[in-house]
Amino acid sequence: MQKHLSFDDIMMMEKQNRVHFVNSLGGFKSVALVGTVDVLGNENLSIFSSVFHIGANPPLIGLIFRPSPPERDTMNNILSTGFYTINHINEKIYRQAHQTSARYEASVSEFEATRLEAEYKNNFFAPFVAESQLKMGIAFKEKINLNINSTTLIIGEITDVYLPSDCVLEDGFIDLEKANTITCSGLDSYHKTVQLDRLSYAKPNQQLSSILKSEEY
């Protein structure tokens, strides 16, 4: 038996229930740690489940920020310095990653508070997470204010990528499971994944085939 909820039903939910419900509706999501540092050298690390692909040429990635207040140290650092990192979360660090969602003061480093290691690579301005298997250096490109709910879209260009060499297949596809990347649903549920298949490029009137099976031979 299916349950039906109308817009009015959703809006009448208790606030926290509505937050959990709507955040779960979109299904499984990317979850990552965003590393920044301000102009005074104060490091910041924050978990985001709103990381999404925008384009490959040039390589662009997006982040959604909830309305302020409270003050968004990560966004302030991105806008003032122009650089940040996006670091995949793995099974070993998901609890520490979740803890970064606590509202620490701007002067407190979430790296230190959660005992994650800040790693600076090749003179990139912002810190990476040493424990992350797949990490990206990002240059800020555009800020878009979404008037419908006062959120903000930050778009960045991927300038550097670090990942295990055996995770990149011949066609460029990244084996995220080999990198131990996890996913999330809602605001607080973390999941491992199991790959079902990779399928061939879809064309009208042409049967799909398994890329995985062809890779086996």
Side-chain angles (χ1 to χ4, degrees):
M1 186 176 188
Q2 282 197 324
K3 184 180 182 70
H4 170 242
L5 287 89
S6 67
F7 174 84
D8 290 337
D9 292 330
I10 295 170
M11 295 307 296
M12 287 176 63
M13 285 181 175
E14 187 274 326
K15 179 183 177 182
Q16 200 58 37
N17 287 8
R18 183 173 66 249
V19 168
H20 283 298
F21 182 78
V22 176
N23 268 279
S24 302
L25 282 176
F28 294 111
K29 302 175 288 185
S30 296
V31 61
L33 286 165
V34 176
T36 60
V37 61
D38 66 19
V39 294
L40 299 176
N42 296 307
E43 294 169 342
N44 180 271
L45 189 64
S46 185
I47 191 169
F48 277 79
S49 60
S50 59
V51 181
F52 56 96
H53 164 85
I54 290 182
N57 186 24
L60 299 175
I61 199 161
L63 285 174
I64 294 290
F65 285 80
R66 294 195 296 270
S68 296
E71 197 67 21
R72 303 295 173 188
D73 297 327
T74 298
M75 184 163 66
N76 290 341
N77 293 348
I78 290 172
L79 296 178
S80 62
T81 69
F83 297 98
Y84 54 107
T85 68
I86 295 177
N87 308 265
H88 283 209
I89 298 169
N90 55 58
E91 194 175 349
K92 292 182 179 180
I93 63 171
Y94 77 94
R95 295 179 68 89
Q96 293 157 283
H98 186 79
Q99 181 61 30
T100 66
S101 63
R103 293 180 182 176
Y104 293 98
E105 295 294 328
S107 59
V108 176
S109 168
E110 287 83 357
F111 284 99
E112 294 182 7
T114 61
R115 297 185 179 179
L116 290 170
E117 181 183 348
E119 179 182 37
Y120 290 86
K121 300 173 77 69
N122 294 327
N123 296 316
F124 192 79
F125 187 79
F128 296 87
V129 177
E131 294 85 352
S132 174
Q133 290 275 67
L134 197 163
K135 36 205 166 195
M136 296 168 273
I138 313 293
F140 167 72
K141 289 299 176 182
E142 189 172 352
K143 174 188 174 200
I144 300 173
N145 294 319
L146 305 178
N147 294 326
I148 192 169
N149 64 349
S150 300
T151 55
T152 302
L153 167 60
I154 295 292
I155 300 174
E157 185 173 82
I158 301 169
T159 63
D160 301 272
V161 180
Y162 300 94
L163 76 170
S165 56
D166 63 350
C167 290
V168 184
L169 305 188
E170 288 186 7
D171 65 355
F173 180 80
I174 300 173
D175 187 338
L176 295 178
E177 288 180 359
K178 189 173 285 188
N180 200 221
T181 292
I182 64 168
T183 184
C184 76
S185 61
L187 297 173
D188 52 18
S189 183
Y190 299 93
H191 307 261
K192 296 191 292 183
T193 64
V194 176
Q195 185 181 47
L196 297 177
D197 206 346
R198 282 188 71 199
L199 298 176
S200 59
Y201 188 82
K203 296 180 181 179
N205 305 314
Q206 183 169 315
Q207 187 172 354
L208 294 172
S209 61
S210 172
I211 295 176
L212 289 183
K213 288 181 181 179
S214 65
E215 288 174 347
E216 292 175 358
Y217 296 100

